[in-house]
């Protein structure tokens, strides 16, 4: 089982705000990075570090962290945001990495 | 253009071996940690292994330790994954990824290849 726990399914109305969470003990000492994956495509990095977006990622994507929980927030969700989202962090050993189980986002 | 292109996937019998390659272009390959990530059909992402810029450090997920070997050839801008003693549960799309940020508090993969499918079946 994954050391990072995500809700399997999340939904949001078009234009509304949604928060996707990721829980795990390692998140008390490490930041999560977040990846978006659409069907048949490779993952894309959307948030890394405290709250950094790679170039080309819209500013409606943001990240935050509190205690053992990391969150990815999409403010004003668009239809093209419908995808699977994965968090990733170092594991408790520090040298290995672990992905969350993924959250399937549906934009209604 | 920054690009990673995997190759070497295919159908292999249980207990068999396969070597995956990842050709990098558009950036200074030798300056980055590199990683392999896999995704079983209909399942989530799983980190497999990563390797330091000069190959001096390598780390593996427990399920492949002793069976898989990650390596790189900086002169050829290439990353490899030698997979031995393959099992049905190794069936997945294997992605090559660049570690864009290697920090104490986080590790982020900023560039991904398109993936290569490995099927382990008799």
């Amino acid at each position: 089982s994954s050391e990072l726990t995500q809700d399997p399914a999340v939904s949001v109305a078009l234009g509304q705000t949604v928060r996707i969470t990721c829980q795990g003990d390692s998140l008390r000492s490490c930041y999560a990075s977040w990846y978006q994956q659409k069907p048949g495509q490779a993952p894309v990095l959307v948030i890394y570090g405290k709250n950094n977006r790679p170039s080309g990622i819209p500013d409606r994507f943001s990240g935050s962290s509190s205690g053992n929980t990391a969150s990815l927030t999409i403010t004003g969700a668009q239809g093209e945001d419908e995808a699977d989202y994965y968090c990733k962090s170092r594991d408790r050993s520090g040298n290995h990495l672990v992905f969350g189980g993924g959250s399937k986002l549906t934009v209604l | 253009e920054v690009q990673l292109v995997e190759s070497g996937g295919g159908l292999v019998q249980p207990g068999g071996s396969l070597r995956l390659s990842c050709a990098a272009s558009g950036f200074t390959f030798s300056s980055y940690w590199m990683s392999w990530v896999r995704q079983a059909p209909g399942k989530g992402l799983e980190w497999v292994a990563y390797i330091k810029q000069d190959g001096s450090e390598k780390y593996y997920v427990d399920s492949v330790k002793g069976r898989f070997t990650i390596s790189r050839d900086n002169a050829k801008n290439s990353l490899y994954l030698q997979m031995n003693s393959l099992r049905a549960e190794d069936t997945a799309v294997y992605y090559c990824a660049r570690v864009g940020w290697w920090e104490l508090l986080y590790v982020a993969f900023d560039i991904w290849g398109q993936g290569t499918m490995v099927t382990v079946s008799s």
Side-chain angles (χ1 to χ4, degrees):
Chain A
S1 62
S2 175
E3 295 182 28
L4 297 178
T5 301
Q6 297 182 241
D7 292 328
V10 181
S11 62
V12 62
L14 184 68
Q16 296 304 299
T17 296
V18 63
R19 176 175 292 181
I20 300 170
T21 61
C22 173
Q23 289 188 304
D25 286 344
S26 63
L27 297 176
R28 296 185 184 279
S29 55
C30 296
Y31 291 116
S33 52
W34 290 92
Y35 302 85
Q36 175 193 70
Q37 187 181 35
K38 297 180 180 179
Q41 298 183 19
V44 172
L45 177 67
V46 295
I47 290 290
Y48 66 95
K50 189 174 184 180
N51 180 20
N52 302 301
R53 282 177 290 105
S55 61
I57 301 301
D59 61 5
R60 63 178 179 271
F61 289 88
S62 63
S64 62
S65 184
S66 177
N68 73 335
T69 301
S71 300
L72 173 70
T73 299
I74 307 174
T75 303
Q78 302 299 304
E80 61 263 34
D81 299 333
E82 190 162 283
D84 293 325
Y85 290 86
Y86 295 91
C87 61
K88 180 180 62 52
S89 178
R90 294 179 183 275
D91 75 352
R92 281 169 285 186
S93 76
N95 290 323
H96 292 190
L97 303 178
V98 61
F99 282 93
S103 296
K104 182 177 182 62
L105 176 66
T106 300
V107 179
L108 304 171
Chain B
E1 179 191 6
V2 176
Q3 197 172 11
L4 297 171
V5 179
E6 302 94 337
S7 61
L11 174 65
V12 61
Q13 292 188 340
S17 298
L18 212 55
R19 188 197 196 204
L20 305 183
S21 299
C22 171
S25 60
F27 65 97
T28 305
F29 179 73
S30 59
S31 295
Y32 293 86
W33 285 73
M34 295 294 297
S35 184
W36 288 98
V37 176
R38 68 184 178 182
Q39 186 170 35
K43 302 298 184 182
L45 300 172
E46 181 182 36
W47 169 74
V48 174
Y50 58 8
I51 184 170
K52 195 175 180 179
Q53 291 92 329
D54 61 1
S56 62
E57 293 184 42
K58 306 174 184 181
Y59 300 96
Y60 301 89
V61 68
D62 288 347
S63 60
V64 308
K65 206 173 297 184
R67 300 188 299 122
F68 290 11
T69 302
I70 188 172
S71 63
R72 63 192 297 162
D73 185 335
N74 288 341
K76 295 183 177 179
N77 292 330
S78 292
L79 177 72
Y80 306 101
L81 187 67
Q82 177 66 45
M83 303 185 295
N84 299 330
S85 302
L86 283 161
R87 307 166 180 167
E89 53 265 35
D90 296 318
T91 294
V93 174
Y94 284 74
Y95 294 101
C96 164
R98 185 179 83 170
V99 181
W101 291 274
W102 173 270
E103 307 290 342
L104 179 63
L105 296 182
Y106 61 91
V107 175
F109 299 161
D110 64 338
I111 305 295
W112 295 66
Q114 85 290 348
T116 187
M117 183 70 203
V118 172
T119 303
V120 184
S121 175
S122 55

